[in-house]
Amino acid sequence: MYPQLLKKSYFQNDIYEDILTAIKSLESQDYFDELIGKSQPEQKEMVKKFQKDLFSILREKIVDVRWELEYQPKSARRDAIDIYGKTEGFIIIIELDKHRADQVAKKFISRSALFANEKIFYISLCYPGTEKMSKPETIKYFEYCQILSEKIGHHYAGFII
């Protein structure tokens, strides 16, 4: 099981493509195969392991970006960006969430507002939550985020594991 890229903005940039390729290459079954049914603390640990391993892959494969884990923008209080990258032309925001449309929308809006004066490449990377969480609704919101990103001069990609 690998992350599936379901929506993406058109953006001709090598770093952008390298990031998407790195995410798609991370075998995810061992992290999420047994996530559903675990307690919240157990799920949190499984997701943290995935986050750290993805961060390591990005740092190793995309060296032209300065990567940070759990980046806290100055204006944010307790809210940290899961994986943050900065390069000459744009910033990269990668948020890991259960596949819930409301979470995708909430994070996209807040990050877009926090970095309104920056060029953003925003990535939603969604993993299994519960059996009742709607993947089709999440994918619909990926499309909304993609449309809005393009209208405001940003770029977007949405993945589901």
Side-chain angles (χ1 to χ4, degrees):
M1 165 172 47
Y2 292 87
Q4 293 181 302
L5 178 61
L6 298 176
K7 292 291 174 189
K8 84 171 196 172
S9 301
Y10 175 77
F11 181 39
Q12 193 119 21
N13 181 286
D14 290 340
I15 292 174
Y16 174 79
E17 292 301 327
D18 290 345
I19 292 167
L20 297 178
T21 299
I23 293 170
K24 288 188 282 189
S25 74
L26 183 54
E27 216 303 359
S28 306
Q29 186 164 351
D30 289 344
Y31 302 96
F32 300 109
D33 195 34
E34 297 180 15
L35 187 75
I36 295 176
K38 299 279 187 191
S39 70
Q40 287 297 322
E42 290 172 315
Q43 287 183 6
K44 187 175 182 176
E45 286 306 311
M46 295 167 89
V47 173
K48 282 283 183 205
K49 172 82 170 110
F50 177 81
Q51 178 186 7
K52 287 178 182 176
D53 289 351
L54 177 58
F55 175 75
S56 295
I57 288 168
L58 292 168
R59 283 185 67 187
E60 178 185 313
K61 292 187 177 189
I62 301 135
V63 296
D64 293 334
V65 174
R66 191 189 72 210
W67 295 103
E68 293 185 47
L69 265 178
E70 298 295 329
Y71 176 77
Q72 288 192 302
K74 291 178 186 174
S75 61
R77 299 228 162 103
R78 296 180 327 212
D79 197 15
I81 295 166
D82 293 327
I83 299 175
Y84 173 88
K86 185 156 181 73
T87 184
E88 288 287 321
F90 56 94
I91 61 170
I92 301 109
I93 296 172
I94 302 173
E95 291 290 1
L96 297 113
D97 290 297
K98 293 178 179 175
H99 56 74
R100 284 182 41 193
D102 62 326
Q103 283 297 97
V104 169
K106 176 182 164 186
K107 293 260 181 100
F108 174 78
I109 293 296
S110 68
R111 300 319 186 231
S112 295
L114 284 172
F115 296 97
N117 296 323
E118 306 260 0
K119 186 142 184 112
I120 300 171
F121 172 32
Y122 188 95
I123 301 169
S124 297
L125 180 50
C126 295
Y127 54 87
T130 68
E131 292 178 8
K132 292 183 180 185
M133 291 179 184
S134 172
K135 281 185 188 178
E137 185 179 18
T138 301
I139 295 165
K140 180 173 68 173
Y141 273 78
F142 284 175
E143 186 172 351
Y144 295 156
C145 291
Q146 176 190 349
I147 291 166
L148 287 173
S149 285
E150 291 170 358
K151 295 285 184 192
I152 60 177
H154 299 315
H155 304 287
Y156 180 84
F159 287 87
I160 283 195
I161 297 172

